[in-house]
Amino acid sequence: MGISVNDSKLLQLARLISDWPGLVSGPAADLVNDSLVLLEHLGDVKTLVDVGSGGGLPGLPLKIARPELSVTLVEADQDKAAFLVRACAALGLQDVEVVARRAEDVGQDPRYREAFDVAVARALARMPVLAELCLPLVRVGGRLLAQRTSSEDVDRAAGAIEVLGGALNRVAAAPSTARGAGTVVIVDKVRPTPPAYPRRPGVPSRKPL
């Protein structure tokens, strides 16, 4: 699914992203289009969390395409979080929450911990780090959808995924105009994440599982 003249809110989002200095690198329309590769993997989910949302990618394009979704955008950078609030208002999006906090803190907050049907992330971190930041937010029976590139080695994250209560489902090809070698790593949440995870802010990236 690409951006067309009929996708007015997607086009508006791309313009908003382009007009906010330093938000993304690369053409905003291509990045919005890249986010939509996740649509076929959402199924009938109702609640979605976008971890490290940045310019709202992939969470906001998914919300526009699936208006019934309840979406939470986690973004620690205050300037980027301010953009997300402004973009949601400009686009008239309902049932979107912007959480301007570190993902490690959000994952330990009872309001958000294991509260979502699906977590999504794009270009957030290496896979073991991404798993620690995202899987604590996913309910048992839910899934993590991580946008990666086919050249990345997902196997080395298998141990971390298992520790965090996940199980690798598959890696699906998901090419787009932004990433010709794009993939989606699909991780099922099969058991609760141990209370120790995620660890304190900064620790997952300094000492990956």
Side-chain angles (χ1 to χ4, degrees):
M1 180 184 296
I3 297 178
S4 73
V5 292
N6 296 321
D7 299 321
S8 59
K9 283 195 175 183
L10 292 174
L11 286 168
Q12 186 180 357
L13 173 60
R15 287 194 296 268
L16 289 168
I17 292 172
S18 295
D19 291 343
W20 193 280
L23 197 59
V24 297
S25 59
D30 287 348
L31 298 176
V32 170
N33 180 68
D34 185 49
S35 300
L36 298 176
V37 301
L38 295 180
L39 281 174
E40 66 179 283
H41 302 291
L42 290 183
D44 59 355
V45 304
K46 295 179 173 61
T47 58
L48 178 148
V49 59
D50 178 5
V51 181
S53 188
L57 306 171
L60 289 184
L62 297 176
K63 172 66 177 179
I64 291 168
R66 292 273 300 271
E68 77 280 5
L69 283 175
S70 174
V71 172
T72 298
L73 308 174
V74 177
E75 176 51 58
D77 184 289
Q78 297 299 308
D79 187 58
K80 292 178 180 179
F83 166 79
L84 295 173
V85 172
R86 184 174 298 185
C88 289
L91 293 164
L93 300 179
Q94 303 294 318
D95 204 10
V96 179
E97 180 183 7
V98 177
V99 181
R101 297 168 58 190
R102 294 282 299 243
E104 296 96 328
D105 291 332
V106 178
Q108 290 289 357
D109 189 325
R111 291 175 293 175
Y112 305 107
R113 187 175 179 85
E114 299 192 328
F116 298 95
D117 295 330
V118 65
V120 297
R122 183 186 185 279
L124 175 62
R126 291 172 293 169
M127 195 63 204
V129 180
L130 185 151
E132 184 169 356
L133 298 179
C134 294
L135 279 174
L137 297 167
V138 180
R139 65 170 178 81
V140 175
R143 68 185 73 100
L144 163 63
L145 303 176
Q147 290 186 267
R148 315 299 290 176
T149 59
S150 60
S151 62
E152 292 179 284
D153 182 10
V154 177
D155 292 338
R156 63 178 179 167
I161 289 170
E162 182 177 2
V163 166
L164 295 160
L168 179 63
N169 181 309
R170 62 191 174 99
V171 179
S176 72
T177 52
R179 295 184 307 151
T183 63
V184 178
V185 180
I186 303 170
V187 177
D188 297 327
K189 183 70 174 285
V190 296
R191 68 183 71 85
T193 299
Y197 302 104
R199 292 167 291 172
R200 296 188 309 277
V203 175
S205 59
R206 291 197 307 271
K207 299 178 179 179
L209 293 173

